[in-house]
Amino acid sequence: MSDIPIARRDVILHRLDRGLPVVAADLALEFGVSEAAIRRDLRALAAEGRCRRVYGGALPTSPASAPMVVRVDEARERKQALARVGASLVQPGQLVFLDSGSTNLAVVPCLPAGSGITVATNSIAIAAEVARREDLQLLMVGGFVDRHVGGSVDAAAIAMVSSLNVDHCFMGACAVSSVTGVSAFSMADALFKKALALAGHHTVILATSEKLETRAPYRICAVGEIDHLVVEHDAPDEPVRLLAQCETTVLRAAAPP
């Protein structure tokens, strides 16, 4: 990245670190260089993992861009703190959907014992965890498995989800923004989550701080369509304030032990 002028690099990175997308044409005008030069800059930054390249510019990175098998082992205690809050919203006898995601996986051991809860999921890892608990009923949503997502998000999965009346839907989110809403890195995943939101009476997102005020290419819904957004105990105040203004209930998790 040494071929990128330092001042230009710092401006681009500062905007990305604030969760703002950047547009190559706008940057070219601002710095008086060609769009080709800006595209080279963005490719170099993307190669370092500092942004995600999209047509016409770049987006801030989100931790959810990594495959599910990688994310499962990351920040376990932080995810467990979020999961405890989410599980406290569930009532005995309800049908709960746990969308594929490493934080939703942490919800399974937090669900109350002997409460007659049925867990539906499209996730291989979550289904395996639920199957270990004899007090939980398991409903597996099937179809071809997207290895990156860690579960089924194809037309068959959408058709099955559309036939359900879910009490609490724990939706996985790649990015959550007060401006661009809830979004995903995969179009198929985003379409599945749209169907899931329609099937859920009450929708919950458990979001680690790295996902707040970031963007992913495919929009799922507005933040205001989420009933509860659970954030970490030390989530930055400004993103939380902006998200709370979107007519969703924001809950803070307790600090991990």
Side-chain angles (χ1 to χ4, degrees):
M1 202 169 62
S2 59
D3 60 327
I4 304 177
I6 293 176
R8 191 164 80 212
R9 178 198 63 191
D10 288 346
V11 169
I12 295 172
L13 285 176
H14 179 65
R15 292 173 189 174
L16 291 166
D17 289 343
R18 288 169 54 208
L20 300 175
V22 293
V23 178
D26 294 343
L27 291 173
L29 287 173
E30 180 177 350
F31 291 105
V33 297
S34 68
E35 287 188 42
I38 296 295
R39 287 194 293 270
R40 286 194 296 271
D41 294 351
L42 297 180
R43 281 197 296 271
L45 293 172
E48 292 190 352
R50 306 300 298 270
C51 68
R52 179 179 172 86
R53 290 282 287 118
V54 294
Y55 182 78
L59 297 169
T61 56
S62 166
S65 60
M68 172 70 168
V69 293
V70 174
R71 289 180 278 120
V72 164
D73 293 323
E74 296 176 344
R76 284 181 177 270
E77 291 184 352
R78 292 163 52 200
K79 293 172 182 177
Q80 289 167 356
L82 294 170
R84 283 190 285 271
V85 177
S88 71
L89 301 172
V90 179
Q91 301 299 314
Q94 289 189 328
L95 171 58
V96 177
F97 197 102
L98 296 180
D99 186 19
S100 185
S102 56
T103 309
N104 288 343
L105 174 63
V107 173
V108 179
C110 298
L111 292 172
S115 53
I117 292 171
T118 298
V119 177
T121 185
N122 62 325
S123 164
I124 298 172
I126 292 173
E129 189 71 15
V130 173
R132 294 188 181 99
R133 288 189 52 172
E134 295 183 357
D135 60 322
L136 298 176
Q137 295 295 315
L138 171 62
L139 176 60
M140 185 71 195
V141 171
F144 283 103
V145 172
D146 183 318
R147 294 182 184 275
H148 191 93
V149 172
S152 301
V153 293
D154 63 2
I158 290 174
M160 187 169 180
V161 161
S162 300
S163 69
L164 299 177
N165 286 316
V166 179
D167 294 300
H168 275 78
C169 164
F170 287 80
M171 181 191 295
C174 298
V176 182
S177 167
S178 57
V179 178
T180 57
V182 182
S183 51
F185 283 114
S186 160
M187 179 179 290
D189 192 25
L191 292 173
F192 176 82
K193 294 179 192 302
K194 283 177 180 287
L196 187 56
L198 292 175
H201 175 69
H202 188 275
T203 304
V204 184
I205 288 180
L206 312 177
T208 51
S209 296
E210 294 87 350
K211 295 182 181 181
L212 302 182
E213 293 305 324
T214 63
R215 280 80 163 165
Y218 302 104
R219 181 181 170 91
I220 301 164
C221 64
V223 173
E225 297 176 53
I226 303 301
D227 296 285
H228 282 92
L229 175 64
V230 184
V231 301
E232 296 189 70
H233 76 286
D234 58 353
D237 290 334
E238 182 61 12
V240 171
R241 183 186 68 80
L242 293 172
L243 291 165
Q245 291 178 345
C246 296
E247 300 182 356
T248 185
T249 300
V250 179
L251 303 175
R252 280 188 184 268

